[in-house]
């Protein structure tokens, strides 16, 4: 009998919203464009897979969280806060 694996992906809406925010901000701000160029000009930080194996998950489930790398998440947070000095 084959085992079944259920994959639960969460955080996608926040990831898409953050990427959209970064794209819109880059269109209107040289500082944001420069921050993005700096990010992509150096080694790209990859995101890992966080396997949730706690009380909320069930046997045969793999929970994956979609999220930005830390540096891009910090840039998006600075934009949301209106803190362009943090760029």
């Amino acid at each position: 009998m084959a085992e079944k694996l259920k994959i639960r992906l969460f955080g996608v809406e926040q990831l898409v919203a953050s990427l959209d925010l970064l794209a819109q901000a880059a269109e209107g701000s040289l500082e944001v464009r420069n921050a993005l160029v700096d990010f992509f000009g150096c080694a790209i930080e990859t995101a890992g897979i966080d396997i949730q194996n706690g009380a909320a998950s069930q046997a045969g489930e793999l929970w994956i969280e979609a999220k930005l790398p830390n540096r891009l998440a910090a840039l998006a947070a600075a934009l949301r806060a209106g803190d362009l000095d943090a760029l």
Side-chain angles (χ1 to χ4, degrees), residues 2-84:
E3 294 283 331
K4 290 186 179 182
L5 176 65
K6 182 187 290 185
I7 298 176
R8 296 183 183 243
L9 180 62
F10 60 99
V12 174
E13 295 84 11
Q14 181 62 35
L15 175 69
V16 170
S18 293
L19 289 172
D20 188 47
L21 173 68
L22 290 169
Q24 289 180 16
E27 288 180 11
S29 168
L30 180 60
E31 291 88 4
V32 174
R33 279 194 299 263
N34 286 338
L36 290 171
V37 167
D38 288 345
F39 173 78
F40 289 112
C42 62
I44 299 294
E45 176 185 352
T46 58
I49 296 176
D50 183 18
I51 299 174
Q52 300 293 323
N53 210 6
S57 64
Q58 301 174 7
E61 285 188 347
L62 174 65
W63 289 22
I64 301 173
E65 181 179 4
K67 60 183 179 179
L68 289 175
N70 292 339
R71 289 180 57 207
L72 284 182
L75 176 58
L79 289 170
R80 283 190 183 94
D83 185 10
L84 296 182

